[in-house]
Amino acid sequence: MAQAKFTDAIALLKADHRAVEALFEKFDSARADRKQALALQICNELKIHTIIEEELFYPALKGKIEEETYTEAYVEHDAAKLLINDIMATSPEDQFFDAKVKVLSEEIKHHVHEEEARSEGMFSQAREAGLDMVALRDAMLARKQELTAQAKAEALPQAELRVLQASA
């Protein structure tokens, strides 16, 4: 069963982090004709990841971790979603396409660092909160599988902003 692959919710999220980091590395060294497909893959992986965090993981942490850590995570997600939506609406022919993907990569590295930081990071705080990380993993994995199937069958909708206001 696929769930045995991840010991708990945090292991699932860390595996997502490593997968996206590898995709960003591939993008950096890709030929121009591969960049669109890689950017789409990166954006879809990030959309799925943010959805499972925002629908399941973060709500489970509300009131159990530092408020600043909790609120910053949502703002960081929205900042990344702005770039994700913009990247998905353009192509490598856009003068700023590579720069947008690079900045997205840097934002994600920062966000991952804040989640994974020892002692003060979100994941450390989540472990200390005593949540059932196995049950959370199961719910997150089920939702991730739904979203992955949706991404393969059709397109995922635009990344939805939760706390930032997009200008028209």
Side-chain angles (χ1 to χ4, degrees):
M1 182 171 229
Q3 292 175 346
K5 187 175 175 183
F6 310 108
T7 55
D8 64 13
I10 292 171
L12 172 62
L13 295 173
K14 284 183 174 183
D16 282 356
H17 292 169
R18 301 298 83 80
V20 170
E21 288 167 354
L23 287 170
F24 277 121
E25 286 179 23
K26 281 184 181 178
F27 182 90
D28 288 341
S29 61
R31 294 187 332 244
D33 64 338
R34 289 279 304 132
K35 289 192 174 204
Q36 183 77 41
L38 283 166
L40 175 64
Q41 190 177 0
I42 288 166
C43 291
N44 279 332
E45 290 291 329
L46 289 172
K47 284 198 280 187
I48 292 166
H49 182 82
T50 59
I51 290 169
I52 66 172
E53 280 190 330
E54 291 177 0
E55 287 182 358
L56 300 161
F57 190 67
Y58 290 176
L61 300 178
K62 185 157 179 62
K64 295 176 173 63
I65 65 169
E66 291 174 1
E67 183 69 13
E68 183 178 347
T69 301
Y70 180 82
T71 57
E72 282 181 16
Y74 276 102
V75 174
E76 289 172 355
H77 272 196
D78 273 10
K81 289 177 199 176
L82 288 169
L83 276 170
I84 289 166
N85 289 338
D86 195 64
I87 290 165
M88 292 191 77
T90 60
S91 71
E93 288 76 38
D94 178 288
Q95 176 184 0
F96 298 102
F97 188 81
D98 284 8
K100 291 172 187 178
V101 175
K102 177 69 172 173
V103 171
L104 178 61
S105 172
E106 291 168 354
E107 285 185 7
I108 297 304
K109 282 179 190 166
H110 170 81
H111 181 70
V112 165
H113 172 74
E114 293 207 344
E115 285 188 338
E116 295 185 6
R118 291 183 164 202
S119 71
E120 76 276 357
M122 178 182 277
F123 292 170
S124 293
Q125 292 180 48
R127 286 207 190 282
E128 291 173 17
L131 299 169
D132 184 345
M133 291 293 181
V134 174
L136 197 51
R137 172 208 63 199
D138 293 345
M140 290 167 54
L141 190 55
R143 182 66 172 130
K144 181 177 178 170
Q145 289 168 340
E146 289 172 12
L147 292 165
T148 301
Q150 182 181 351
K152 287 180 182 172
E154 54 191 81
L156 290 170
Q158 270 198 325
E160 180 185 331
L161 300 181
R162 299 215 180 227
V163 297
L164 296 179
Q165 305 301 314
S167 301

